[in-house]
């Protein structure tokens, strides 16, 4: 379900973390924004696959800022169990779990903690039963 309610706590997906410094309206985010260890994992890949020094530096800065600003929620046993529900939901919706494995694991962590996902890419989380998705407007360049 996609909503626009501002929650007390919510998980920012990786796209939102990357665009965080470009968001102009902080009221589109939860009062207490959280991230998952999966987002840190996803951000850790960025500098290693960058095609230029400038891109590598920018991606490293995103990773370091996220590490400094957030205590990441772990992917624990409860999230692993929720991942099964996420994978089943995606399969029933005709989507492949492997294609969006980071997103599926972030969604599982959100479900395990009964938290909504705040994302600039709500379609990435479509078809996942029981997940509250809050669409964050894509910042204008």
């Amino acid at each position: 379900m996609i909503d626009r309610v501002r929650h007390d706590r919510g998980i920012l997906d990786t796209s939102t973390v990357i665009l965080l410094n470009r968001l102009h309206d902080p009221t589109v985010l939860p009062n207490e924004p959280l991230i998952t260890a999966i987002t840190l994992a996803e951000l850790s890949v960025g500098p290693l696959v960058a095609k230029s020094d400038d891109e590598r530096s920018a991606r490293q800065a995103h990773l370091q800022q996220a590490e400094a600003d957030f205590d990441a929620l772990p992917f624990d046993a409860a999230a692993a169990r929720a991942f099964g529900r996420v994978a089943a939901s995606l399969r029933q919706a005709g989507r492949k779990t492997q294609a969006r494995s980071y997103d599926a694991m972030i969604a599982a962590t959100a479900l395990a903690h009964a938290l909504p996902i705040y994302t600039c890419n709500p379609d990435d989380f479509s078809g996942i039963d029981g997940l509250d998705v809050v669409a964050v407007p894509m910042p204008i360049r």
Side-chain angles (χ1 to χ4, degrees):
M1 156 184 28
I2 296 177
D3 66 34
R4 298 209 185 264
V5 173
R6 186 170 192 197
H7 300 273
D8 286 332
R9 300 175 77 217
I11 293 177
L12 309 183
D13 82 323
T14 307
S15 69
T16 307
V17 172
I18 290 170
L19 297 170
L20 204 53
N21 65 345
R22 293 181 37 213
L23 296 178
H24 299 289
D25 182 6
T27 65
V28 301
L29 300 176
N31 293 323
E32 183 184 352
L34 305 164
I35 66 169
T36 70
I38 305 308
T39 288
L40 288 182
E42 195 170 5
L43 290 173
S44 295
V45 174
L48 301 173
V49 299
K51 296 191 185 328
S52 71
D53 288 340
D54 288 344
E55 184 180 356
R56 185 174 297 101
S57 293
R59 290 177 177 197
Q60 186 66 37
H62 275 113
L63 170 60
Q64 290 174 322
Q65 193 66 57
E67 290 173 332
D69 290 346
F70 299 97
D71 290 324
L73 294 172
F75 188 84
D76 56 12
R81 284 189 297 278
F83 183 80
R85 295 192 319 261
V86 170
S89 291
L90 290 172
R91 186 171 290 177
Q92 289 172 347
R95 300 182 67 205
K96 294 183 179 181
T97 309
Q98 299 87 341
R100 304 298 312 182
S101 58
Y102 292 124
D103 293 334
M105 293 174 80
I106 291 168
T109 305
L111 287 171
H113 291 274
L115 293 168
I117 294 269
Y118 282 71
T119 179
C120 293
N121 299 314
D123 289 344
D124 290 349
F125 297 94
S126 67
I128 300 174
D129 292 338
L131 182 65
D132 286 328
V133 178
V134 180
V136 175
M138 188 69 77
I140 300 170
R141 292 200 174 250

